[in-house]
Amino acid sequence: MNNNKLKQFVRDNQIGMALIISAALFTVNIAINPASLNANTFGSIIALTLLLSFASAGQTMIMITGGIDLSVGAVMSMAAIFTANTMAGQEGMMPLVLVQVIPMALIVGLINGVGVVKLKLPAMVITMCVSNVVTRLQYVYTQGLPTGTTSKFFTQTLQHRFFGFIPAMSLYAVVIFIAVLYLLNRSRFGQQLFLTGNNKNAAYLAGIRKDTVEILAYVIGSLLAGVAGIIGAGYMNFVICQSLDSYTMMSIVAVVVGGTLLIGGKGSYLGTAAGALLIIVLGNCLSVLNSSDSVRSIIMGGVLILLLALYNKEKPIRQ
């Protein structure tokens, strides 16, 4: 009986499992390197988790519809380049940054959405192609050279630690989390998003403009990736081409770890945040073990395959 309850908990509580595994990995990390038990480590984990959760917010919406966006990292990198290059260490340049980043992100999201919904192209194919174009544009824009730095004030609003370990980035997180949670759980758009992901035909018969909902998911997702890129630039303070490209795979893994089905119809942003925590703690543990980037990529891919095998067998209500 207890064994059955344990299996049921593991199967039905992905958020809880993500938090438990994160705690276990952090314990292993401390056992391997006791010096890592300090305020700076806690602060870094929180900050990187928040940044990944920002990057994964739009991915969550898109995957709820049954789609996927492989251009998240490229959009983040492009936004970060715009941010650092435009600010160039000067204050008061944020309006000009937004004038560049917002249209770029909206255009990318619109191309992705129209390609998937209207042209009926596979989401993985069109978003990967768009990602490659955006990546090439990074090199055209910077000529392959390191770009500028963000303003001192903007960087301080992200790097400062309250009480020695709570990152100031948490202030940005409050705004983004409230906005995304409201959009998914309280708004009419959020309801239409889940209904479309569950059963597109039923959504259409219910009067929902499913094509518009799906395209908006890609547009909003790309916009949120752009915002995450701006924040990422401020946190790092120094940007090069493709500096945030890794967030594409990390965002997908975080969303899946958090309980969102790849086939759509089910998901939550709180689950995504828990998944982001697990990914960051795992990455921190691999860093302690001095693992190479190749090894980390292999492990991340293995984690994704394992989670898909365990949790992505459930079917949405579409037949």
Side-chain angles (χ1 to χ4, degrees), residues 6 8 30 33 38 66-67 76 103 125 134 164 167 169 180 203 218 232-233 238 251 254 257 262 267 285 315 318:
L6 178 60
Q8 184 177 2
I30 294 172
N33 181 24
N38 55 64
M76 287 180 66
V125 174
V134 175
M169 192 186 297
V180 175
Y218 279 96
F238 182 78
S251 69
V257 169
L262 276 177
C285 192
K315 295 182 179 180
R318 49 167 55 110

Coordinates of all heavy atoms in Angstrom, one line a residue, residues 6 8 30 33 38 66-67 76 103 125 134 164 167 169 180 203 218 232-233 238 251 254 257 262 267 285 315 318:
L6 N 3.5 5.8 -2.8 CA 4.8 6.4 -3.3 C 4.8 6.5 -4.8 O 5.1 7.6 -5.3 CB 6.0 5.6 -2.8 CG 7.4 6.1 -3.2 CD1 7.6 7.5 -2.7 CD2 8.5 5.2 -2.8
Q8 N 2.2 6.7 -6.8 CA 1.2 7.6 -7.1 C 1.7 9.1 -6.9 O 1.5 10.0 -7.7 CB -0.1 7.4 -6.4 CG -1.2 8.3 -6.8 CD -2.5 8.1 -6.0 OE1 -2.5 7.2 -5.1 NE2 -3.5 8.8 -6.4
I30 N 26.8 19.9 -1.6 CA 27.4 20.3 -0.3 C 28.3 19.2 0.2 O 29.4 19.5 0.7 CB 26.3 20.6 0.8 CG1 25.5 21.8 0.3 CG2 27.0 20.9 2.1 CD1 24.3 22.1 1.2
N33 N 31.4 19.4 -2.0 CA 32.1 20.6 -1.8 C 31.5 21.4 -0.6 O 30.7 22.3 -0.9 CB 32.2 21.4 -3.0 CG 33.0 22.7 -2.9 OD1 33.8 22.8 -2.0 ND2 32.7 23.7 -3.7
N38 N 27.2 28.5 1.3 CA 27.4 29.9 1.7 C 26.3 30.8 1.0 O 25.6 30.3 0.1 CB 28.8 30.4 1.3 CG 29.1 30.2 -0.1 OD1 28.5 30.8 -1.0 ND2 30.1 29.4 -0.4
G66 N 0.6 22.8 -27.4 CA 1.1 21.7 -28.2 C 2.2 22.0 -29.1 O 2.7 21.2 -29.9
G67 N 2.7 23.3 -29.0 CA 3.8 23.7 -29.9 C 5.2 23.7 -29.1 O 5.2 23.2 -28.0
M76 N 16.8 35.7 -26.9 CA 17.4 36.2 -25.7 C 18.8 36.8 -26.0 O 19.1 37.9 -25.5 CB 17.5 35.1 -24.6 CG 16.2 34.7 -24.0 SD 16.4 33.4 -22.8 CE 17.4 34.3 -21.5
P103 N 10.1 45.3 -31.0 CA 9.8 44.9 -32.3 C 10.5 43.7 -32.8 O 9.8 42.8 -33.5 CB 10.2 46.2 -33.1 CG 10.2 47.3 -32.2 CD 10.7 46.6 -30.9
V125 N 10.7 22.8 -36.9 CA 11.4 23.1 -38.1 C 11.4 24.7 -38.3 O 12.5 25.3 -38.4 CB 10.8 22.5 -39.3 CG1 11.4 23.0 -40.6 CG2 10.9 21.0 -39.3
V134 N 18.2 34.5 -36.7 CA 18.5 35.4 -35.6 C 19.9 35.3 -35.2 O 20.6 36.3 -34.9 CB 17.5 35.2 -34.4 CG1 17.8 36.2 -33.3 CG2 16.1 35.5 -34.9
G164 N 22.5 39.8 1.8 CA 23.6 39.0 1.4 C 23.3 37.8 0.5 O 24.3 37.2 -0.1
P167 N 18.7 38.0 -4.4 CA 19.1 38.9 -5.5 C 18.0 39.9 -5.7 O 16.8 39.7 -5.6 CB 19.2 37.9 -6.7 CG 18.4 36.8 -6.3 CD 18.4 36.6 -4.8
M169 N 17.1 40.8 -8.4 CA 16.3 40.4 -9.5 C 14.9 39.9 -9.1 O 14.0 39.8 -9.9 CB 17.1 39.2 -10.2 CG 16.5 38.8 -11.6 SD 17.3 37.4 -12.3 CE 19.0 37.9 -12.5
V180 N 2.4 36.6 -15.6 CA 2.3 35.3 -16.3 C 1.2 34.5 -15.6 O 0.4 33.8 -16.3 CB 3.6 34.6 -16.3 CG1 3.5 33.2 -16.9 CG2 4.6 35.4 -17.2
A203 N -12.3 23.5 -29.4 CA -12.1 24.9 -29.1 C -12.7 25.8 -30.3 O -13.4 26.8 -30.0 CB -10.6 25.2 -29.0
Y218 N 2.9 32.3 -29.5 CA 4.2 32.4 -30.0 C 4.7 33.9 -29.9 O 5.9 34.1 -29.6 CB 4.3 32.0 -31.4 CG 4.4 30.5 -31.6 CD1 3.2 29.7 -31.8 CD2 5.6 29.8 -31.5 CE1 3.3 28.3 -32.0 CE2 5.7 28.4 -31.6 CZ 4.5 27.7 -31.8 OH 4.6 26.3 -32.0
G232 N 19.0 39.3 -18.7 CA 20.2 38.5 -18.7 C 21.4 39.4 -19.0 O 22.5 39.2 -18.4
A233 N 21.3 40.3 -19.9 CA 22.4 41.2 -20.2 C 22.8 42.1 -19.0 O 24.0 42.2 -18.7 CB 22.0 42.2 -21.4
F238 N 28.1 41.8 -19.6 CA 29.0 41.7 -20.7 C 28.4 40.7 -21.6 O 28.1 39.5 -21.2 CB 30.4 41.4 -20.3 CG 31.4 41.3 -21.5 CD1 31.8 42.5 -22.0 CD2 31.7 40.1 -22.0 CE1 32.7 42.4 -23.1 CE2 32.6 40.0 -23.0 CZ 33.1 41.2 -23.6
S251 N 15.1 25.9 -21.2 CA 13.7 26.2 -21.0 C 12.8 25.1 -21.3 O 11.8 24.9 -20.6 CB 13.3 27.4 -21.9 OG 13.3 27.1 -23.3
A254 N 13.0 22.6 -18.4 CA 12.4 23.2 -17.2 C 10.9 23.1 -17.3 O 10.2 22.7 -16.3 CB 12.8 24.7 -17.0
V257 N 10.0 19.3 -17.0 CA 10.1 18.9 -15.6 C 9.0 19.4 -14.7 O 8.5 18.8 -13.8 CB 11.5 19.5 -15.0 CG1 11.6 19.3 -13.5 CG2 12.6 18.8 -15.7
L262 N 4.2 17.8 -23.6 CA 4.7 18.2 -24.9 C 3.5 18.2 -25.9 O 3.6 18.9 -26.9 CB 5.7 17.2 -25.4 CG 7.2 17.5 -24.9 CD1 8.1 16.5 -25.4 CD2 7.6 18.9 -25.4
G267 N -0.3 22.2 -18.0 CA 0.9 22.9 -17.6 C 0.7 24.0 -16.6 O -0.5 24.4 -16.4
C285 N 25.7 21.4 -9.5 CA 26.4 20.2 -9.1 C 27.4 19.7 -10.1 O 28.5 19.3 -9.8 CB 25.3 19.1 -8.8 SG 25.9 17.7 -8.0
K315 N -2.5 11.8 -22.0 CA -3.1 12.4 -23.2 C -4.1 13.5 -22.8 O -4.9 13.3 -21.9 CB -3.8 11.3 -24.1 CG -2.9 10.3 -24.7 CD -3.7 9.3 -25.5 CE -2.8 8.2 -26.1 NZ -3.5 7.3 -26.9
R318 N -8.7 15.1 -26.2 CA -8.9 15.6 -27.6 C -9.6 14.6 -28.5 O -10.1 14.9 -29.5 CB -7.6 16.0 -28.2 CG -6.4 15.0 -28.2 CD -5.3 15.4 -29.1 NE -4.9 16.8 -28.9 CZ -3.7 17.1 -28.4 NH1 -2.9 16.1 -28.0 NH2 -3.3 18.3 -28.2

